[in-house]
Amino acid sequence: MAINWFKYASPASFYPLAGRIAPWFGVAAALLFVVGLYLSFFVAPTDYKQGEGYRIMFIHVPAAWMSMFIYVVMAGWAAAGMIWNTRLSSMMASALAPTGAMFTFVALWTGAFWGKPMWGAWWVWDARLTSELILLFLYIGFMALEAAIDDPRRAARACGLLALVGVINVPIIYYSVKWWNTLHQGASIKMSSESSMTSVMLITLLVMAFACWFYTIAVALSRVRRIILEREQRSDWVAELVGGKQ
Amino acid sequence: MFAALRCIIVRDLTLALRHRADVLTTLFFFVIVVSLFPLGVGPEAALLKAMAAGVLWVAALLASMLSLARLFADDFADGTLEQILLTPQPLPVLVLGKVIAHWLVSGVPLVLMAPLLGLQYGLEGDALLMLVVSLLLGTPVLSLIGAIGAALTLGLRGGGVLISLLVLPLYIPVLIFGAGAVDATVSGLGAEGQLSLLAAMLVAAAILAPWAAAAALRISME
């Protein structure tokens, strides 16, 4: 049987689907967080160089990954929304923005906590930290622009354009450790070669990264449900849905 | 197409000449911001020389941003912008014309003024020249990127503050390499790398920004 993928491009049919799958991602995220936190506090070995303090990596690195990935995904949804003019795409983009901003903030904040004992400073103006800070500004700009425009269609399209312009920054962050010789350490996990950390650490890191992914999906789906209801409030199916509950 | 481009530039320049106060306000804003720093951090010559590039560049950024709100706002208010959108000429070209006019009015005076302010900060010779060259390459990029922000925030409440939030993060690479070029010259290193990157940004922005700004204008005017 051929699945009609475009069926779920309509907010009306996506709304119940998102409602059904969001809790599952939420549960999966919670389980993975429990496992990941257990692994990172009790199983992963002490680092030979950084001692126990390195354990903050298990939240810092996934948060930093997510902060960049989410921006790219958001820009992808924004592009889809501008190309095919689908309402749902831009709603997904705006549902992702607050979570992305949160992860950027978490990456910066945990980075400060990690930097203080290791580098002796809360903050260094190095290329990666600075570009991550710019990423936070970009998220804030995106949300501020959305909040400033009353007409939701114009807001969606203007924010989409802004997201596409800002996406230029993401590769700069990603390669900043390579292009500039700075204090921030380079990547320990590479696609092309063997990882430089023990497999327990790597597995823990991946579990935490998946936990963050599932958390993001769960949050974005439940946020997009609110956005759908808000933007489609004048449509019949929302009236029926809300009326039916009363 | 080039006739349309020239027509827009000449028109905007004429309008700017008729409102000379607007141009001068931006310029004096630049001068005043730069002059505040020695009062704020103390007038030690070594400190000022070390700060000069950064201070002049940040002030140029702010001054350029301040004048952005005017880029489309007047035409939007009196309906000219709608007519511009309706012309058969390609909109990115017309936007480019407006950006060039904006740069000639707001960027070039800053570039001309900068060496004088650089002298106040103890820059000399090569460093002053580098300041002018880096600003000459960098300020058009500021106008080009700024046009996108100005088009996106057209007619919004609180547009002036919002534009700074949208545009300043995108200005940061220009700031880093612009000020970096001057700093490299002050410390006796070559600045070719930074200048090449600034030139590359200028080319990329000149190609991409007019399209993005034109798209943003169409979104704002719907």
Side-chain angles (χ1 to χ4, degrees), chain B residues 135-160:
Chain B
L135 280 172
L136 212 50
L137 280 173
T139 44
V141 187
L142 302 183
S143 295
L144 283 162
I145 297 174
I148 306 174
L152 279 176
T153 56
L154 197 58
L156 298 183
R157 63 192 137 76

Side-chain angles (χ1 to χ4, degrees), chain A residues 14-43:
Chain A
F14 188 73
Y15 180 83
L17 176 75
R20 275 205 306 280
I21 58 180
W24 291 105
F25 279 106
V27 170
L31 286 177
L32 283 170
F33 268 125
V34 170
V35 175
L37 286 175
Y38 176 77
L39 285 176
S40 43
F41 277 116
F42 302 108
V43 180

Side-chain angles (χ1 to χ4, degrees), chain A residues 134 141 144 148 150 154 157 161-162, chain B residues 152 154 157 166 212 216 220 222:
Chain A
I134 300 173
D150 293 326
R154 183 184 162 188
R157 300 187 58 195
L161 189 75
L162 184 69
Chain B
L152 279 176
L154 197 58
R157 63 192 137 76
L166 301 186
S220 299
E222 254 174 20

Side-chain angles (χ1 to χ4, degrees), chain A residues 124-148:
Chain A
V124 194
W125 288 98
D126 106 326
R128 178 155 276 188
L129 275 66
T130 312
S131 46
E132 185 77 8
L133 189 64
I134 300 173
L135 187 64
L136 181 63
F137 294 156
L138 289 176
Y139 276 120
I140 293 174
F142 182 95
M143 291 188 287
L145 184 64
E146 188 171 50

